[in-house]
């Protein structure tokens, strides 16, 4: 009581005086539920069943079926039934008198005991079978199925809430039943906890005479059914001869049938820890009220439709709905926060994936750029090496040309010039420097002699001392070589796998007019060349690399002169 203020302690003392010393924790719970109004708390205590009871969902599963009654119990059953009739009659009269006088009486189990030994519990069928039998007995259907035009209870899915539009489609004379959930009792409790909904548990027994009237008058009462439906209550029911309903009856301490209990989540009351801890305890599933007994007369019977409607509208719903609304709002807020966190996490993961992909792309591009730079550097180095090799080749080719030209110069310094006359060919050769060479050649001499003579005049005035190293070792000295041997000596070196005539000589002889190239060919005698038979003038053209010779006048046509003109282009 340390957490109560002065007004709350005064209300508690007044309530305990009225109810003759009720349990302090129960009294605090009742006063807290009615906002510490003593008069409403007294009305609640005297107008309803014993105080609310908190319990947890049993997760242990289905209870084992009880053993079959012994032979002695079967023989004694009629005797017990005979003596139970006056006891039940006396108990009913006593409860009626006490209720009129508003005098609380304890809930004594034997006052409603039937003394019938229960038949073996059925472990098959369950709520589904009981609902089919209920629809067949009352001729009614569940309100949601009636709203959609379905009149069978064989639908395997659980009863669901209908929309306001579908409710208007119900006919005035259509009997309806609450939307019973077809799961187990524990499933119904879990639904109440998960969705913060009010649960309505309905238990009946075939052995009680009041059950048939309860089914016809209460369960098919349109106002009662719509009240349950409009408040989205979880309705679960069954016959206690079924194992599941029997287990629920034991947990709810049901002794008189028909039996109706309402339960929902309520704040957990912990007086001892309230002052020491500031955290709010989690709500617990609480039995709000119990109603058992006959459903007639309609105005005063504990399970009649009017009594249950009055209890729901005036007491239970005003007391429970605000807390459940706040709880559902809190759950919705938590769900929104969870969805927001999930969306943020997903967005973060997506952004991280994009960043990772972008970084990996940049790293791959950087690696590719480095590889390209390395490849470019390697190609540059290779190109430099190739260029250097080409320069060396050019240098070697020039050294080789200079060596041969020096050898030709030494050769022609010893060879006498043939006499001019009918058997000779006198030629004038204009060098690239503008100077001219004039020499008479024998008609039997070849183009090799002509090219060697011109090459001797192109020799360097100061040859390298190592130029002779580029000449073949088997080549004889110039002074011992004879003119007829010149073609035989030079032909293998002029045309070889590593050299061409153009590269070997380094120049090309061209007739002055008509312009006609005279490329070197082996063993071609000067007397057989038409443009040289009567002598002539030749021009030396320095060349680098291979080049194709222009066609001869015969190949170009009778009137061709070896030069391209505008008329030739036409």
């Amino acid at each position: 009581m340390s957490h109560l203020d002065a007004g709350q302690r005064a209300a508690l003392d007044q309530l305990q005086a009225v109810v003759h010393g009720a349990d302090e924790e129960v009294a605090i719970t009742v006063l807290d539920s009615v906002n510490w109004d003593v008069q409403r708390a007294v009305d609640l205590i005297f107008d309803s069943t014993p105080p609310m009871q908190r319990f947890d969902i049993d997760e242990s599963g289905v209870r084992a079926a009880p053993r079959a009654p012994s032979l002695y119990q079967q023989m004694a059953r009629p005797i017990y039934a005979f003596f139970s009739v006056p006891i039940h009659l006396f108990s009913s009269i006593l409860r009626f008198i006490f209720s009129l006088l508003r005098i609380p009486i304890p809930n004594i189990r034997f006052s409603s005991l039937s003394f019938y030994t229960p038949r073996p519990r059925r472990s098959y069928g369950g709520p589904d079978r009981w609902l089919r039998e209920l629809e067949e007995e009352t001729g009614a259907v569940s309100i949601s199925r009636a709203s959609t035009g379905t009149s069978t209870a064989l639908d395997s899915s659980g009863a669901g809430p209908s929309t306001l539009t579908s409710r208007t489609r119900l006919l005035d004379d259509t009997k309806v039943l609450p939307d019973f959930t077809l799961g187990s009792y524990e499933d119904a409790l879990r639904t109440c906890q998960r969705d913060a909904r009010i649960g309505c548990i309905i238990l009946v027994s075939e052995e009680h005479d009041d059950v048939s009237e309860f089914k016809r008058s209460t369960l098919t009462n349109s106002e009662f059914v719509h009240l349950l439906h409009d408040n989205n209550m979880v309705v679960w029911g069954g016959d206690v001869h079924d194992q599941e309903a029997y287990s629920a009856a034991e947990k709810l301490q049901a002794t008189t049938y028909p039996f109706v209990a309402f339960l929902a989540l309520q704040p957990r009351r912990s007086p001892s820890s309230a002052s020491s801890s500031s955290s709010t305890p989690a709500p617990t599933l609480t039995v709000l009220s119990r109603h058992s007994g006959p459903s007639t007369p309609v105005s005063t019977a504990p399970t009649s439709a009017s009594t249950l409607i009055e209890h729901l509208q005036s007491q239970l719903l005003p007391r429970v709905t605000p807390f459940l609304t706040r709880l559902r709002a809190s759950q919705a807020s938590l769900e929104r926060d969870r969805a927001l966190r999930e969306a943020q996490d997903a967005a973060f993961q997506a952004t991280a994936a994009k960043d990772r992909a972008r970084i990996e792309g940049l790293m791959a591009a950087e690696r590719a750029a480095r590889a390209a730079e390395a490849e470019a550097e390697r190609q540059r180095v290779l190109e430099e090496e190739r260029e250097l090799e080409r320069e060396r080749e050019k240098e070697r080719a020039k050294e080789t040309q200079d060596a041969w030209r020096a050898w030709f110069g030494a050769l022609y310094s010893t060879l006498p010039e043939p006499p001019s006359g009918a058997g000779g060919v006198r030629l004038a050769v204009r060098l690239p420097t503008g100077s001219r060479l004039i020499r008479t050649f024998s008609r039997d001499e070849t183009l090799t002699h002509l090219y060697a003579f011109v090459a001797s005049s192109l020799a360097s005035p100061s040859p390298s001392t190592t130029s002779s190293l580029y000449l073949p070792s088997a080549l004889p000295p110039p002074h011992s070589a004879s003119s007829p041997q010149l073609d035989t000596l030079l032909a293998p070196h002029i045309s070889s796998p590593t050299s061409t005539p153009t590269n070997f000589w380094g120049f090309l002889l061209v007739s002055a007019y008509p312009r006609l190239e005279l490329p070197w060919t082996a063993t071609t005698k000067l007397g057989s060349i038409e443009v040289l038979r009567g002598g002539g003038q030749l021009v030396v053209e320095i060349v680098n690399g291979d080049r194709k010779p222009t066609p001869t006048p015969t190949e170009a046509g009778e009137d061709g002169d070896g030069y391209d003109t505008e008329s030739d282009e036409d």
Side-chain angles (χ1 to χ4, degrees):
M1 294 179 56
S2 58
H3 63 283
L4 302 177
D5 56 24
Q8 292 174 343
R9 282 196 296 269
L12 177 61
D13 295 339
Q14 185 178 356
L15 179 62
Q16 286 181 323
V18 173
V19 298
H20 305 289
D23 182 79
E24 181 178 307
E25 184 175 352
V26 174
I28 292 175
T29 303
V30 174
L31 286 171
D32 184 66
S33 65
V34 297
N35 199 18
W36 296 90
D37 188 334
V38 178
Q39 183 61 41
R40 291 177 59 190
V42 172
D43 293 341
L44 182 63
I45 292 175
F46 288 115
D47 291 346
S48 63
T49 57
M52 296 181 293
Q53 174 186 356
R54 292 187 175 89
F55 64 96
D56 296 327
I57 296 178
D58 184 9
E59 302 287 352
S60 60
V62 180
R63 290 170 52 93
R67 293 180 299 174
S70 63
L71 180 60
Y72 171 76
Q73 292 175 336
Q74 295 178 359
M75 294 177 62
R77 182 183 300 172
I79 301 175
Y80 292 155
F82 176 77
F83 285 106
S84 66
V85 173
I87 296 177
H88 274 290
L89 180 60
F90 175 75
S91 174
S92 300
I93 296 174
L94 186 63
R95 285 180 175 274
F96 178 72
I97 295 174
F98 274 56
S99 62
L100 291 179
L101 300 177
R102 292 184 175 272
I103 300 176
I105 60 173
N107 186 21
I108 305 174
R109 294 179 61 90
F110 73 85
S111 62
S112 58
L113 199 60
S114 66
F115 290 101
Y116 280 105
T117 302
R119 289 179 288 178
R121 307 299 170 190
R122 294 174 297 198
S123 58
Y124 60 90
D128 190 10
R129 180 198 57 79
W130 180 76
L131 181 57
R132 286 198 300 268
E133 293 178 354
L134 180 62
E135 291 185 349
E136 293 173 359
E137 181 179 352
T138 60
V141 294
S142 296
I143 183 172
S144 60
R145 295 208 261 286
S147 300
T148 57
T150 304
S151 60
T152 178
L154 296 178
D155 188 3
S156 59
S157 62
S162 61
T163 62
L164 293 176
T165 304
S166 62
R167 291 175 195 162
T168 60
R169 293 161 52 190
L170 290 174
L171 299 177
D172 294 338
D173 57 349
T174 302
K175 289 185 177 182
V176 292
L177 291 171
D179 280 331
F180 286 95
T181 179
L182 299 183
S184 65
Y185 173 68
E186 301 296 336
D187 292 337
L189 298 185
R190 293 190 187 94
T191 303
C192 294
Q193 282 189 320
R194 183 185 66 248
D195 300 337
R197 296 163 61 185
I198 300 174
C200 177
I201 309 300
I202 300 174
L203 300 175
V204 298
S205 175
E206 296 176 358
E207 298 178 353
H208 287 71
D209 297 335
D210 298 327
V211 170
S212 298
E213 181 62 27
F214 171 76
K215 293 179 180 178
R216 290 191 298 268
S217 62
T218 302
L219 294 185
T220 60
N221 184 275
S222 178
E223 185 180 358
F224 176 67
V225 172
H226 279 84
L227 183 61
L228 298 179
H229 185 65
D230 293 341
N231 288 277
N232 197 23
M233 294 188 186
V234 179
V235 184
W236 186 89
D239 194 304
V240 293
H241 289 90
D242 295 328
Q243 182 63 45
E244 188 70 28
Y246 176 75
S247 176
E250 283 196 336
K251 295 173 183 178
L252 293 173
Q253 300 178 5
T255 57
T256 303
Y257 303 97
F259 176 85
V260 180
F262 295 97
L263 49 88
L265 289 174
Q266 289 293 282
R268 188 188 299 270
R269 173 63 62 179
S270 303
S272 59
S273 59
S275 59
S276 60
S277 175
S278 59
S279 60
T280 304
T284 181
L285 200 59
T286 305
V287 177
L288 304 174
S289 63
R290 294 184 180 88
H291 310 267
S292 58
S295 57
T296 56
V298 176
S299 59
T300 59
T303 59
S304 66
S306 60
T307 302
L308 295 177
I309 292 172
E310 176 65 22
H311 170 71
L312 289 174
Q313 292 179 341
S314 63
Q315 297 184 25
L316 192 142
L317 290 177
R319 176 162 54 94
V320 176
T321 303
F323 173 75
L324 294 182
T325 302
R326 293 193 302 270
L327 186 60
R328 283 192 293 268
S330 177
Q331 292 176 349
S333 177
L334 293 177
E335 183 65 22
R336 287 193 299 271
D337 293 343
R338 184 190 62 82
L340 179 60
R341 286 194 299 270
E342 290 181 355
Q344 291 174 344
D345 292 342
F348 175 78
Q349 295 296 335
T351 304
K354 290 181 180 179
D355 292 342
R356 184 165 53 251
R358 181 177 58 83
I359 293 174
E360 290 177 354
L362 293 176
M363 294 175 63
E366 186 178 355
R367 289 194 297 269
R370 288 199 298 266
E373 291 178 359
E375 180 64 19
E377 180 65 19
R378 189 179 68 85
Q379 293 295 335
R380 186 185 64 79
V381 172
L382 291 177
E383 185 62 27
E384 289 180 355
E385 292 178 353
R386 285 192 292 266
E387 185 65 25
L388 184 60
E389 184 64 24
R390 285 193 293 268
E391 293 295 332
R392 287 196 291 264
E393 287 292 334
K394 290 180 181 179
E395 187 67 24
R396 285 195 295 267
K398 185 177 182 305
E399 293 289 342
T400 303
Q401 281 184 352
D402 290 342
W404 279 109
R405 288 173 181 177
W407 191 85
F408 292 145
L411 173 65
Y412 273 93
S413 65
T414 60
L415 289 178
E417 180 179 353
S420 60
V425 177
R426 187 173 181 79
L427 299 175
V429 180
R430 187 174 61 194
L431 298 177
T433 59
S435 61
R436 296 177 65 190
L437 298 176
I438 300 176
R439 181 180 173 84
T440 301
F441 294 90
S442 174
R443 289 180 179 273
D444 293 333
E445 290 182 311
T446 64
L447 283 175
T448 302
H449 296 81
L450 178 59
Y451 267 82
F453 171 71
V454 175
S456 65
S457 64
L458 298 176
S460 175
S462 56
S464 174
T465 56
T466 61
S467 60
S468 60
L469 299 177
Y470 295 95
L471 295 177
S473 59
L475 188 68
H479 61 274
S480 62
S482 62
S483 178
Q485 297 176 339
L486 195 59
D487 275 288
T488 305
L489 290 173
L490 297 181
H493 304 289
I494 296 174
S495 296
S496 66
T498 59
S499 178
T500 61
T502 304
N503 291 334
F504 180 84
W505 297 111
F507 61 89
L508 183 66
L509 295 178
V510 182
S511 63
Y513 186 83
R515 187 182 186 283
L516 181 66
E517 293 182 358
L518 299 175
W520 177 89
T521 54
T523 68
T524 300
K525 294 182 180 181
L526 298 178
S528 63
I529 300 175
E530 182 67 24
V531 296
L532 300 181
R533 287 178 182 176
Q537 294 186 6
L538 300 176
V539 178
V540 177
E541 291 184 356
I542 302 298
V543 296
N544 292 319
D546 295 333
R547 58 177 293 179
K548 295 181 180 179
T550 58
T552 61
T554 303
E555 296 171 347
E558 295 181 355
D559 297 335
D561 56 0
Y563 293 96
D564 293 333
T565 63
E566 294 181 359
S567 62
D568 294 335
E569 295 178 359
D570 297 337

